[in-house]
């Protein structure tokens, strides 16, 4: 059963994430920078210092370099560097041009109805603007104050979980915080029935944890992709305000 975005949320900002290639022991995604709207337009900025370490569980820029990180191809890497020219055009080259005859099929692959009005920011968030082989992606870190709409997230660790029954698109998922997790205090498990199929990824887990406390969430399997032996799974999260009382 195909699942569609009906009310995609508008991101406030997007994180540029990088993942080391296969063969590197630590393949957690690094948060290396962000793009955000300002009064002067869209700006890209590399993280630096304590901000970088806070975004990456205390890991340092030096550790990032040791993993093999060099730079995002379009912007020479320098901690704290700000780029204000051509940001959207640069990241837009990571998507097929809208003039292509098959662009509607591209949208449909990501569960977007071609008739849906969608900003480029929201399109980046849903597709993650991935290219094969370079390890970069754009991730919506989510807005804690969002009251409604739909977002998607990658189910981290999916390929490592030995699931008995393969998940199918459209199946309901259950999100269960794991505060005792030794590696991530914000860890949220993703269950299909009584079986864990992975975790909410580290970039989006902190805000989803906040939402679990004071929002009503619906979560379903959205899509699969990846390579043989390295599948990726994604979930769609529908966000609603929690009802605090009953009508008379």
């Amino acid at each position: 059963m195909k699942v569609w975005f009906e009310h995609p949320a508008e991101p406030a900002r997007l994180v540029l994430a990088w993942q080391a290639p296969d063969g590197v022991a630590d393949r957690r995604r690094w948060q290396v920078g962000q793009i955000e709207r300002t009064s002067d337009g869209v700006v890209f900025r590399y993280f630096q210092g304590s901000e970088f370490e806070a975004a990456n569980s205390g890991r340092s820029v030096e550790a990032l370099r040791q993993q093999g990180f060099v730079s995002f191809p379009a912007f020479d890497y320098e901690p704290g560097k700000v780029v204000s020219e051509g940001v959207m055009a640069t990241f837009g080259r990571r998507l097929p041009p809208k003039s292509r005859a098959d662009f509607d099929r591209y949208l449909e692959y990501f569960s977007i109805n071609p008739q849906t009005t969608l900003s480029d920011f929201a399109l980046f968030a849903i597709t993650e603007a991935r290219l094969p082989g370079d390890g970069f992606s754009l991730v919506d870190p989510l807005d804690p104050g969002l009251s409604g709409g739909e977002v998607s997230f990658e189910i981290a660790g999916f390929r490592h979980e030995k699931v008995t029954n393969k998940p199918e698109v459209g199946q309901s998922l259950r999100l269960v915080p794991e505060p005792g997790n030794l590696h991530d205090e914000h860890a949220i498990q993703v269950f299909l029935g009584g079986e864990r199929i992975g975790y909410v990824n580290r970039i989006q887990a902190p805000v989803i944890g906040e939402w679990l406390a004071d929002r009503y969430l619906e979560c379903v399997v959205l899509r699969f992709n990846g390579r043989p032996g390295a599948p990726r799974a994604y979930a769609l999260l529908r966000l609603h305000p929690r009802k605090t009382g009953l009508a008379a």
Side-chain angles (χ1 to χ4, degrees), residues 16 46 70-76 90 94 131 134 136:
L16 177 64
Y46 279 119
V70 177
S71 180
F72 182 69
F75 306 133
D76 291 338
T90 296
R94 300 179 65 84
L131 292 178
D134 72 358
F136 288 101

Side-chain angles (χ1 to χ4, degrees), residues 133-152:
D134 72 358
F136 288 101
S137 57
L138 288 174
V139 183
D140 180 1
L142 307 178
D143 177 3
L146 188 67
S147 60
E150 297 160 336
V151 300
S152 58

Side-chain angles (χ1 to χ4, degrees), residues 6 27-28 33 41 44 72 75 91 98 105 108 155-156 173 201-202 209:
E6 296 176 2
R27 299 201 69 242
R28 290 177 293 176
F44 170 77
F72 182 69
F75 306 133
F91 285 103
K98 295 179 181 178
R105 292 181 59 190
E108 290 169 354
I155 302 173
L173 299 172
N201 66 83
R202 288 172 181 257

